[in-house]
Amino acid sequence: MQARTPNLLVKATMNFSNNLAAVVRREEKTHPGSSGELSQLLTSLGLAMKVIGQLVATAGFKGLYGYTGTTNIHDERTQVLDDHADKVLVEVLSAAGHFGSLVSEERDEAVMTEAGQGAGKYVVAFDPLDGSSNIGSNIPVGTIFAIWERKNETAPPSAADFLQPGTALVAAGYALYGAKTSFVYTTGDGVRDFTLDPTIGEFILTEPRLTIPAGGKIVSVNEANYPYWSPTMRAYIHSLKEKPDGTATGYTCRYVGTLVADFDRTIRRGGIFLYPPSRKHPKGRLRLLYECLPLAFIAEQAGGLALDGKERLLTRTPQNIHERAGFVVGETEEVTRFLNEANPTVS
Ligand code: FBP
């Protein structure tokens, strides 16, 4: 009897050298003297994102929609799913017990973990559930994280450990819970892209080096903010649609309203995403520590560029853990044109 060939599905998922833990361990080996703590942290983050992805997918029949009745430091009403995602990250990361403190968009102060007193090299800041306005509408939402090495490992951990420039980031990443669940991260040597295989519950490496393509011709911006933009910002956005001779540029517009989703599309398809400072948000709308800086690190590692509207975003050092910033990111050539032409801030 002739031997049966394994079908494609089985063949594809049985690749044990490309799951998250295996890839992270392989990368660790390229850093002689590494303690393994960063690998454990990335693997723990992967676990937390699988749990959050499940909560997002099943929220409808688990009664996880609606509000908790509290507001966060940004004066936003906290959604039940925001709160659950926050708790999952704090519990999974604390249980992993290998680092000092955490910052969450949903918590006013930095959280000192059990193991905080004296253990651990790293601190983690995260936006547990990005895209809250899209929760419940079956539109992708996500989780964003940033990792810094503590300034002084012997000193007790404090919020000061987080007030470091973006250029000092050790690692950054996000998960996107949509038609597929993606886990994307960088440790400063390119961008790794994993896709969750729900049949075995594993993140499988699907793109070892994600790179922003040139010529994406996609603009992503909330044009409802047009009245609050400076004349040069308005002119710049117009120039993405119409050439001086009145003909079309060939650009199209995409705006999901979930930062991670708009960012993920931008690094896969090119173009430019903008949430610049404006009269409505003079300091910017998005959060510097756990939204803009981690995504700026990934964008640069993917060959792109990120600004705060005026300067290279990674050079910024947060003055407080919940500081806001402008965010303009995408293909280097287009973001540079923005820098030269659009002065977003309105006097
Ligand atoms: P959170 O959902 O984490 O609060 O993030 C803010 C956010 O939802 C981003 O994901 C998104 O890019 C932006 O706000 C949308 O803002 P707006 O509704 O003003 O366009």
Side-chain angles (χ1 to χ4, degrees):
M1 192 167 77
Q2 195 189 352
R4 278 184 58 224
T5 341
N7 70 34
L8 270 184
L9 179 63
V10 175
K11 206 164 164 203
T13 52
M14 301 297 273
N15 179 338
F16 297 120
S17 69
N18 270 348
N19 64 36
L20 178 63
V23 172
V24 165
R25 243 193 329 275
R26 248 195 332 271
E27 288 186 359
E28 182 192 313
K29 291 205 171 70
T30 64
H31 299 277
S34 123
S35 67
E37 283 184 54
L38 184 59
S39 307
Q40 290 167 12
L41 196 38
L42 288 169
T43 315
S44 301
L45 283 159
L47 168 63
M49 295 189 192
K50 284 192 260 186
V51 177
I52 296 170
Q54 266 310 302
L55 286 175
V56 169
T58 58
F61 51 82
K62 285 186 179 159
L64 297 178
Y65 291 143
Y67 294 88
T68 60
T70 60
T71 56
N72 65 19
I73 193 160
H74 309 287
D75 217 16
E76 293 158 344
R77 293 197 297 155
T78 302
Q79 303 208 37
V80 172
L81 262 180
D82 281 325
D83 190 46
H84 275 66
D86 169 76
K87 287 198 170 78
V88 167
L89 276 155
V90 170
E91 280 165 30
V92 169
L93 297 181
S94 303
H98 42 251
F99 57 92
S101 49
L102 308 169
V103 160
S104 166
E105 181 187 38
E106 299 306 329
R107 297 182 187 226
D108 299 1
E109 307 300 332
V111 183
M112 298 303 149
T113 63
E114 257 330 290
Q117 307 312 320
K121 283 168 73 169
Y122 302 105
V123 293
V124 186
F126 53 81
D127 177 355
L129 207 60
D130 172 58
S132 311
S133 59
N134 285 326
I135 289 176
S137 319
N138 208 2
I139 294 170
V141 292
T143 299
I144 313 172
F145 68 88
I147 300 173
W148 279 270
E149 199 160 337
R150 287 180 47 206
K151 285 184 178 169
N152 172 352
E153 248 190 86
T154 54
S158 75
D161 285 320
F162 295 90
L163 308 182
Q164 303 188 53
T167 46
L169 274 164
V170 170
Y174 62 86
L176 184 58
Y177 314 112
K180 62 178 180 175
T181 295
S182 298
F183 180 61
V184 174
Y185 76 82
T186 183
T187 56
D189 172 25
V191 179
R192 311 281 178 271
D193 172 29
F194 294 79
T195 304
L196 183 67
D197 178 342
T199 63
I200 56 173
E202 274 292 342
F203 281 115
I204 303 293
L205 185 66
T206 36
E207 183 53 65
R209 270 187 187 277
L210 214 43
T211 310
I212 298 187
K217 289 196 175 255
I218 301 173
V219 55
S220 184
V221 67
N222 183 347
E223 286 222 42
N225 291 325
Y226 183 89
Y228 308 107
W229 290 341
S230 66
T232 48
M233 175 65 194
R234 293 178 184 184
Y236 170 77
I237 295 293
H238 185 77
S239 74
L240 288 171
K241 295 182 257 187
E242 192 179 69
K243 295 183 190 157
D245 65 5
T247 57
T249 61
Y251 260 73
T252 187
C253 180
R254 294 281 182 278
Y255 190 73
V256 178
T258 290
L259 171 62
V260 178
D262 286 312
F263 177 81
D264 185 78
R265 186 202 52 253
T266 303
I267 59 168
R268 290 177 200 275
R269 302 267 306 281
I272 186 168
F273 168 86
L274 312 100
Y275 213 121
S278 69
R279 229 194 317 268
K280 185 175 176 189
H281 304 287
K283 293 205 165 31
R285 158 119 172 62
L286 303 171
R287 277 50 67 126
L288 181 59
L289 194 72
Y290 39 78
E291 290 180 325
C292 304
L293 284 175
L295 299 182
F297 187 25
I298 295 167
E300 290 205 4
Q301 284 293 315
L305 180 61
L307 308 171
D308 64 357
K310 272 190 166 328
E311 61 179 304
R312 182 180 165 228
L313 199 128
L314 282 184
T315 59
R316 287 271 300 264
T317 300
Q319 301 311 303
N320 71 70
I321 58 174
H322 294 297
E323 184 176 335
R324 293 182 186 263
F327 193 45
V328 177
V329 62
E331 294 172 46
T332 301
E333 195 187 328
E334 192 49 56
V335 175
T336 307
R337 190 170 80 83
F338 171 90
L339 187 61
N340 298 335
E341 295 181 16
N343 171 8
T345 40
V346 180
S347 51

